[in-house]
Amino acid sequence: MEPHEEKPIIYTMENKPIVTCAGDQALFTSLYNSLTQQLPREPMEWRRSYGRAPKMIHLEANFVQFKEELLPKEGNRALLTFPFLHIYWTDCCDTEVYKASVKEDIVRWQSLLRLHSTTDWLIVVVESDTKKKNKTNILPRTSIVDKIRNDFCNKQSDRCVILSDPLKDSSRSQESWSSFLTKLRTLLLMSFTKNLGRFEDDMRTLREKRTEPGWSFCDYFMVQEELAFVFEMLQQFEDALVQYDELDALFTQYVLNFGAGDGANWLCSFCQPLRSWNGLLLRRPIDMEKRELIQHGQASLLDLRSYLFSRQCTLLIFLLRPWEVTQRALELLHNCVQELRLLEVSVPPGALDCWVFLSCLEVLQRIEGCCDRAQLEANCSHTVGLWTYATEKLKSLGSLCGLVSENGPNSEDLNRTVDLLAGLGAERPETANSLQSPYKKLKEALSSVEAFEKHYLELSHAAMEMYRAIGRMRSARLVGKSLAEFYMRKGDPQRAEAFLQESLKSYLAEGWALPVAHTRKQIAECQKQLGQTDEYLQTSALLASDTHLTDMERKHFCQEILSFAGQTAEGHAQKVVLSMNAFAQLRQLQFRPATAVVHVGAALELELSLRSLMPVPVRLEQLAVSVHFSLEKGGARGRAGPGGGAGNRGRVGQGQGSPCGTVLFPGESPPGALPRSQPPALELYEIQDRSPSDGALNSAGVVCKNVHLLLRRQDSSASLDTPSSTAVAVEDGAQLLKTHDVSLLPGNNNILFTAPSREPGTYTLRQLCATVGRIQFVLPHIYPIVQYEVYSQEPQLSVEPLADNLLAGLPQRVKFIIVTGHYSIKRGDALQLSNSDAMPILSSSGCVARVLSSDSELVAETTLSMQSSEKVTSVSLPLAPPYHSVEFQLEVQCHIPAGPVRPESERLTNGEPWHRARSRQRTSSGMSVVDQKISIDCPWSIYSTLVALTFYIPFKAKHLLLSSGKRKYIQVCLQNVSDMNFHVSDQQLAERQQSSSLWLQSLNAKAKQLVHSKQSVFCLWEVKWTCEPPASLQCVFSINFCPADAQRSVFTPYYYEFQLDNVSTLYSLSADIQPAPGEQQCRTGTLCGLEVSIVRLAEPSDSEQQDEGPVETGGFCTTKLMYEVVDNSSNWAVCGKSSGIVSMPVAANATHKVRMEVMPLFAGHLPFPSIKVLKYLPHNAPSTIPPDTDGCVENDNISLLDKGLDDQADTSSIRSRGSVHSLGGGSEQQQRGLPMPRLEPFGPGQVFNRSQGCQVLVLPSKDDHVLEVNLT
Amino acid sequence: MSRQSNRTTESKKMNSELFTLTYGALVTQLCKDYENDEEVNKQLDKMGYNIGVRLIEDFLARSSVGRCHDFRETADVIAKVAFKMYLGITPSVTNWSPAGDEFSLILENNPLVDFVELPDNHSNLVYSNILCGVLRGALEMVQMAVDVRFAQDTLRGDNVTEIRMKFVKRIEENLPAGDE
Amino acid sequence: MMTMLGGEPFLLVSKQEQQNYPLYIRSVPSDSELKFHYTVHTSLDVVEEKVSAVGKVIVDQRELYLGLLYPTEDYKVYGYVTNSKVKFVIVVDSSNTSLRDNEIRSMFRKLHNSFTDVMCNPFYNPGDPIQSKVFDSMVSSMMVQTC
Amino acid sequence: MADEALFQFLHNELIQYVYKSSEQGEMENARCITKLENMGFRVGQGLIERFTKDTARFKDELDVMKFICKDFWTSVFKKQIDNLRTNHQGIYVLQDNKFRLLSQLSAGKQYLEHAPKYLAFTCGLVRGGLANLGVKSIVTAEVSVMPACKFQVMIQKV
């Protein structure tokens, strides 16, 4: 009954360190179970050499019966079979027996051990009371043990232990067990440390020898692996793994060195041609076959690698690091491929692919074996690499074995397949009964086209799904692409295209030129096969224009297009429409004239520069721009005329239009360039926050206007150019700009169009369309918007003065301008000007008409022929085509109307409108105007045109009546209000009803005078009479004038009529100022006497009778006067009663004196205060509005002191001085009210003031401040 | 050359990077604003002048440099003090004209042009022209009218950068310097 | 394949609008150039994966060098991303064993430095393809070294 | 420091140029500010590229902002931002109590109105720096008491 004996040592996990047992087998067997169970119970700290971290380990052991064979021979380094400890069991308690047998036995045992120089032994003495019972002559227990100790363990007494009553369940036995076990463990570990240490030393020395000839990696491998095994056995997987990794690294290094040129000869065994390629095998803990091969140096590179990896894999899985397996796997596979290349191992085609394929799947399945779904899905990123790798490999196998071609594999392919399968050998037993085994998969996949497809698709989709799942879109698409290639090979472009388009999108999005070009080529291929003509042509266009293709390729695709275009359309198939932007780009567009505004029928040229992207010249049957026409304000141009174009420059391409009428089009980003969507640029501006109270600046800063725009998320995907996809439609029915037979050279071409301009309106360029045979390349929208305008214009006549204003009374030139518009002036067309006497047209001979083109170039010049009848003057026009203008000048003269032409600026009723009047005067030139209208009949219209001309009268006349006592003078002031200078001569003043009793005596110089612009001449006449002068004088002033610069002086008369009333003087006033009594001189601040005396000069005239009814009082009739003393210059303070009523007898020399007191306020020669006398009319008397003769105002000016017009205006001011009565306006309002006495001013010159302008000397007073006081 | 100098992330250098880049931004802006390079050069010179006339005070204040007796002394001050102070470089003063009224500043490395690569369409751009303006403006403030121009420029493929400086005249009364 | 020893297509990918368009691609001219482009483009998946991993990971893993992105049978693809989200990718022929992690690292540093200078060239418009001669020559010299 | 003086001279000249080259008017003024800001933007891009050359990858937005406030600001203005506040909704306020480009402007209300000119460039710097780090933003500024200055950064979520 030795359970372990037969068991062959298999290197598996069940391995335990070996402990041999000698001595009493029965005894040992009885204890075996408890021993094996209890040993691992408690962990033990293992302190290790080489400063490796101590570890707690649970020791197990494999107890086997002692045999001499078990003891390792000299040089045998096998560790697994190495007995780490030898135990001798005895329960002998009887000295006799001991002496008799046991001792010898131990001696023999010991000597054997010594022979093999093992010092790791232990003697266990088991004692049980049961045994003693039936024994007599008992010795004390200890004696045996002591004996043994003496005999064997000299000075290492611990090598002999007692285990008491092991089978009893007593505390005592417990203790002895535990102490025993502890001892056992300690010894075991000691042995490990010692032996492993020794082993490692040997191993190291061996490694050191690796440069020596004859050193073999395989041998070394075996050695180090032994170590690994032990660690594994001790469950120290990390350490185990390290061993393999070291081996891995070492080998790799050798291969690299070999690649670098120095090859160790042992490597040759790995360089042998590849014979079997049945992938990795990860289902056994140890692949013995491969290990054998390595052991005997027959392993191929793949064998070694596979074995190494399978071990690493096993350990990693023990360490629960499956994902590291997958990652290492991928590296391994790549690495192997490299190493085979480096070692120049001859590999039959496809063999490697098989190996990789199988290995990938093997790894994946191994992993699946030890993880659940969830884990797997969570770790796609680790596995997906293997999936894709497998897919690629399967694909290449497929194509190698002719499984991808449309018409299956040929015999050659089949042979190849057979060879490949042969290389797989027989399926391994482990996988024999799993249906999904890599082996089966591969065999099946290679068995038939269909099977292959099934597997390939399965893998591809799996890979794609995973990539998608972990968001590696690009990778997914790449798989998609190779799938597409597969479909292409299978002749299924339909499926292929879908994948290709998807990847194309992403390449475009990210601007990867080469992939784009390549993928497009593939797409083109699909489309060709699918017979998607339009798409194919579109793609071809893109490719033909793609600079990343070779010239050959580009030409090829271009040719494709051209040859299609060349085909004669069978069955009138309508044209194929393609997007233009792949074919050519519209770069710029230029109008001539630049304004892009022309009149109907005018020539408008349009040059567009088109950049052809084709590699070869292309002949276009036709290049057309479709134009949208709208009436939108075509007519409106009519008024604007040619000039109006300027305003429209903006229309040329919405702002892009430079003044030179050029529209630039943003160049398409060339293929490969990056479609970047620019976010809106941010707009900043300054802000200043001022406090509302005082405008003080609180804060200043920089803020952003268009935050809302910027903060909006803008996704760039929108901006990608996918021109092929956009279906372009030709809009027809629109007008066209065409050119035929254009040949587009590669690069820029300029093409000239003549734009249609028959209809007035707005023309918008819509599409650009190039026709090549059956193909039309269309630019669907021309953007920025490009428009031009055609306008139609009514003929029109305008007449404008040459000078800025026409002067009446002189011949003046006026300019006639006819804009013909759409009308063309025919022979015999004439303007009929209706004459008027006031303004004759002076038919000056040899005046010329100039015909100008729309851009005002002189076209023709002809002398005008004019006929004048008394009614009309007809001016025959020169011939002129439409949209030209005809200009000529005529001379007209406007007669100055006799009789007063009153400049409206000076019309006045009674005083008050004066303010307005005066302000007007300031603004207007003050020239009086004459409006003249000519009605003209134009040949193009049945209605006659009225042209108004305004003439200005160069002169203005004023008159004055001057009095000196009874003598009267008339002064006329002639003012030259024009800008010209004039000569004037023989001025005359005539009285209408030539009464012999009255004549006017000129006091003027005879000679003609020069009157400069804005100057005046004054003329004076004395009025003389024999008997009473008439109540009113009708005067006509006349003077001849002619321009000073006129070469031949033709004098024209100027008339001025006016009327004077009540010229004769009725009263004369005189005033006298006396110093205060006792004073020689007047002094400021002291009262002086003022005496006013009013003297009646004339007998009452009949004119007087009727207006103020004199009142009979006391026999002779009197009339009431009101006097008033005012001092506006405030030189005087008028004290006491400054105004009053006096009644004057109506008789010559009747006198009335008034006294009052005035106080001079200033020193010096003071003018007298002004004294006014007014008619005081009883209420019953009829009111007479003072005769409204012009100039009477000026007249007053003179007669009322030197106070300006102001005083007249200042009726209010008088009233304000507390006077009860009022003037002018005042009187009117009183009439409206109840009848009251009224005041009326005397007619001009009726009152003569003697002391006019008299002055009196005033001396300063002694004390001025006094004055201050009483003044205030 | 610029390569090593920029490794240090020490704050002084940083500033000069800020300066260099800002200057770069200015030049490119000018290139956008003006169509031809000559205009840009002119503008740069102007701006330099404006800086110069202000800079001089700062300079005199911080470097306790007194009045220079002759042009040679001026040259030395410019090279050894001014350039050192403001650009951290010390150009060498060479190529004196026999009359001693004209010399060259040779800059082995010109911080303004670190990282700069002139595009082909700016062959006539004198990238660092602002320096001329600065020198002109500054010296004008000390009553020296000088004529400054770039004789060589590493940017344009020359081995060194050379600023040629010619003494024109001594300005008698200090005419107020307005911005150009 | 030996002809491609040390043939690295370099490329920088700008982050503009998350669009990984190439700023600069350079490779030893060879018939497999196209394959390079595909490989590099695909590698962006991994770059993005690693970049987006930042923030989740601990600080010491936030260095700019992303290490080996993924190996293929023929190439090793390494990645690097600047703080300005510019991605550098170096693809090395997997048979090229002379280049270890450290060499690659320093190559990236060189690239980065040189790129920084490009960024500081006032005439360079960020986001445009790189035409700098300096950069070009630097890359060339690097490619020569690695052969 | 010397270099800095030079920079400030240049910066002033920059402003002078931009404002001179455009005639006045609300529109114009806005264009000037924007122009300055754009120059700053480009410079910021370049600078940040250098400054972050040797730093580890940033963890998140806040990490970036801190960098701007500490390292960036120190390198450019030789002091840190004095106070950084955020609403965690993508708005950050950077306060510099003695903003270098203002400190040369003598304080006082009458100069306050010129302040914006002196901020625009820096707004650009910050925006450019952030943008180059993949943080799209809008940067504005405000001064109420010179030379203290607030920059507000609004992050655009992309």
Side-chain angles (χ1 to χ4, degrees), chain B residues 4-155:
Chain B
Q4 292 81 311
S5 62
N6 305 325
R7 288 291 158 268
T8 82
T9 45
E10 173 249 321
S11 91
K12 181 183 191 308
K13 281 273 7 125
M14 267 321 159
N15 240 332
S16 78
E17 270 170 3
L18 174 65
F19 175 72
T20 310
L21 290 177
T22 309
Y23 182 67
L26 168 64
V27 176
T28 41
Q29 183 60 49
L30 289 176
C31 290
K32 284 199 207 81
D33 294 355
Y34 297 90
E35 56 282 351
N36 67 42
D37 290 348
E38 281 68 17
E39 301 245 11
V40 177
N41 299 341
K42 212 175 296 138
Q43 187 60 36
L44 282 173
D45 182 75
K46 275 187 194 171
M47 299 177 82
Y49 176 86
N50 296 341
I51 292 177
V53 295
R54 290 168 180 70
L55 187 75
I56 187 71
E57 297 144 25
D58 177 80
F59 174 74
L60 295 175
R62 301 221 321 274
S63 73
S64 49
V65 174
R67 250 194 179 312
C68 295
H69 302 306
D70 61 1
F71 199 44
R72 287 182 180 276
E73 193 180 341
T74 316
D76 271 14
V77 171
I78 291 171
K80 299 206 172 53
V81 189
F83 267 87
K84 183 99 205 72
M85 184 189 265
Y86 290 110
L87 292 178
I89 55 169
T90 325
S92 50
V93 181
T94 57
N95 308 351
W96 278 98
S97 63
D101 64 344
E102 190 172 3
F103 67 91
S104 295
L105 291 166
I106 306 289
L107 290 69
E108 285 72 14
N109 102 35
N110 169 3
L112 261 56
V113 303
D114 292 351
F115 342 116
V116 177
E117 283 183 75
L118 275 188
D120 308 337
N121 58 339
H122 284 298
S123 46
N124 298 332
L125 180 64
V126 184
Y127 185 87
S128 314
N129 209 34
I130 198 162
L131 292 180
C132 299
V134 174
L135 289 167
R136 193 163 60 81
L139 289 178
E140 189 168 306
M141 290 298 96
V142 290
Q143 288 77 49
M144 268 191 231
V146 290
D147 164 50
V148 193
R149 63 188 173 76
F150 270 82
Q152 297 186 75
D153 190 344
T154 46
L155 270 192

Side-chain angles (χ1 to χ4, degrees), chain A residues 679 682-690 696-707 709-714, chain D residues 19 26-27 29-30 33-34 37 109 112-113 116-117 119-120 123 127 138-144 154-157:
Chain A
L682 90 165
E683 302 164 16
L684 298 172
Y685 66 105
E686 290 183 22
I687 46 142
Q688 296 183 343
D689 165 28
R690 300 188 172 278
L697 205 50
N698 286 342
S699 70
V702 180
V703 296
C704 177
K705 266 184 213 154
N706 52 349
V707 177
L709 290 178
L710 293 159
L711 287 184
R712 188 188 307 142
R713 309 163 181 222
Q714 72 295 88
Chain D
Y19 275 78
E26 193 49 43
M27 231 356 265
N29 177 306
I33 288 287
T34 313
E37 200 267 1
K109 289 284 179 204
L112 189 51
E113 64 181 296
K117 297 184 187 54
L119 302 178
C123 289
R127 187 170 67 90
I138 301 170
V139 181
T140 57
E142 187 192 353
V143 193
S144 38
M154 252 178 289
I155 307 292
Q156 292 169 259
K157 296 274 167 266

Side-chain angles (χ1 to χ4, degrees), chain A residues 849-881:
Chain A
R850 314 168 69 236
V851 182
L852 304 172
S853 71
S854 56
D855 41 18
S856 61
E857 292 159 9
L858 183 59
V859 174
E861 225 171 9
T862 53
T863 52
L864 279 179
S865 71
M866 297 168 50
Q867 291 91 22
S868 316
S869 67
E870 77 287 358
K871 279 264 151 288
V872 292
T873 310
S874 95
V875 180
S876 62
L877 298 171
L879 301 186

Side-chain angles (χ1 to χ4, degrees), chain A residues 502-557:
Chain A
E502 194 199 344
S503 353
L504 178 61
K505 242 190 241 91
S506 81
Y507 299 140
L508 279 172
E510 302 185 339
W512 285 67
L514 259 57
V516 165
H518 176 244
T519 314
R520 276 220 180 103
K521 271 191 282 178
Q522 296 172 311
I523 290 177
E525 188 52 36
C526 298
Q527 291 166 332
K528 188 170 193 178
Q529 290 185 19
L530 290 168
Q532 302 170 330
T533 322
D534 299 16
E535 292 77 355
Y536 175 62
L537 291 171
Q538 188 66 68
T539 315
S540 307
L542 285 165
L543 287 164
S545 62
D546 188 337
T547 49
H548 293 83
L549 269 57
T550 66
D551 229 26
M552 280 310 301
E553 291 172 304
R554 291 182 61 189
K555 289 202 174 106
H556 161 73
F557 286 106

Side-chain angles (χ1 to χ4, degrees), chain A residues 941-961:
Chain A
S941 149
I942 56 168
Y943 307 104
S944 43
T945 324
L946 262 190
V947 175
L949 290 175
T950 305
F951 292 86
Y952 293 83
I953 299 174
F955 296 105
K956 209 163 82 179
K958 300 172 187 171
H959 66 275
L960 295 180
L961 177 65

Side-chain angles (χ1 to χ4, degrees), chain A residues 142-161:
Chain A
T142 57
S143 63
I144 292 293
V145 180
D146 297 338
K147 280 193 178 318
I148 296 178
R149 288 205 174 125
N150 299 337
D151 297 348
F152 302 100
C153 352
N154 42 351
K155 64 194 125 358
Q156 41 180 330
S157 55
D158 61 341
R159 289 283 171 169
C160 178
V161 295

Side-chain angles (χ1 to χ4, degrees), chain A residues 795-806:
Chain A
Q796 44 181 290
L797 167 69
S798 56
V799 181
E800 36 189 68
L802 277 186
D804 41 14
N805 41 28
L806 296 167

